[in-house]
Amino acid sequence: MKWSLSELRKFQNTAFTFEEHLSLEDVSNRQDVLDVSDIFTEGSIKNSGHEFYVDITIQARVKMVDSRSGEDVFYDLSVNSFETYDETLEADEKLEDPSLHPVLHELDLEPVIRELINVSIPEVYSESNELPDSSNTDNWNVYGSIEAYEKDKPVDPRLKKLETLFKTDETED
């Protein structure tokens, strides 16, 4: 997905629109991401002097390992982003804004698409609502509030004697 800047300048008063199905190899190097396929991008590029504004939507199907069951599952990814390419920036210049990119002769969206996909894939994903059998959660309790936890919280036997110091008139009945 590359366009020369001279080609994009032809659309000075209107937005250049694009729609494309991509096939990218090795999109993610994470071990739990098995494949990223059906990548579809669409968007528009607007030219404003030395800056090019890219409004992009990416949709992809991510095959990854379920965090709980270990099975292969599919995650439908959808990313919307607004990126700015600037001709006045140097290629090796350190930029604080991750959506700002230097551009010289051609605008290449592939590195940005790869990055957007990578940062949008969830770290943990599961289609199951239940914990696996081997999770050792037999003695776990789930509390709805801190008050419920505090009420059920066991008291350290070494501090049990101090409990009498905090009794109020209400609890002495």
Side-chain angles (χ1 to χ4, degrees):
M1 295 195 64
K2 294 181 185 182
W3 299 277
S4 70
L5 298 185
S6 60
E7 179 183 357
L8 294 173
R9 283 196 177 90
K10 293 177 185 176
F11 297 90
Q12 187 70 25
N13 297 326
T14 61
F16 171 76
T17 59
F18 59 91
E19 285 186 8
E20 193 167 336
H21 289 275
L22 299 175
S23 178
L24 301 175
E25 298 294 323
D26 302 324
V27 175
S28 178
N29 59 358
R30 287 179 30 190
Q31 292 181 353
D32 62 333
V33 176
L34 306 174
D35 186 35
V36 179
S37 59
D38 299 332
I39 303 170
F40 176 72
T41 61
E42 64 180 343
S44 63
I45 302 173
K46 293 181 182 174
N47 179 13
S48 174
H50 58 82
E51 292 182 329
F52 295 87
Y53 303 105
V54 180
D55 187 9
I56 187 169
T57 300
I58 305 166
Q59 295 175 346
R61 188 158 174 85
V62 181
K63 182 178 180 183
M64 58 191 306
V65 177
D66 188 295
S67 301
R68 292 184 179 164
S69 69
E71 302 288 325
D72 294 352
V73 294
F74 289 95
Y75 175 75
D76 291 324
L77 181 73
S78 181
V79 182
N80 295 320
S81 183
F82 188 79
E83 307 290 325
T84 303
Y85 288 81
D86 193 337
E87 285 184 282
T88 61
L89 299 175
E90 297 293 325
D92 58 350
E93 190 173 339
K94 299 289 183 199
L95 303 171
E96 291 184 23
D97 185 0
S99 67
L100 187 60
H101 311 280
V103 62
L104 189 55
H105 298 293
E106 64 182 9
L107 193 145
D108 185 7
L109 289 182
E110 184 178 319
V112 171
I113 291 170
R114 286 178 180 274
E115 181 182 349
L116 289 170
I117 289 173
N118 272 312
V119 299
S120 300
I121 297 173
E123 290 293 321
V124 177
Y125 179 73
S126 179
E127 290 182 346
S128 171
N129 289 333
E130 296 186 19
L131 293 173
D133 294 336
S134 64
S135 64
N136 295 327
T137 58
D138 295 337
N139 295 326
W140 286 19
N141 293 328
V142 177
Y143 296 100
S145 66
I146 293 176
E147 292 81 21
Y149 169 73
E150 292 292 332
K151 185 176 130 184
D152 197 29
K153 184 174 152 182
V155 177
D156 187 337
R158 298 171 292 179
L159 302 175
K160 189 76 170 163
K161 294 177 186 176
L162 296 175
E163 190 176 55
T164 58
L165 297 174
F166 295 109
K167 290 196 183 232
T168 61
D169 294 335
E170 296 172 8
T171 59
E172 291 178 359
D173 293 335

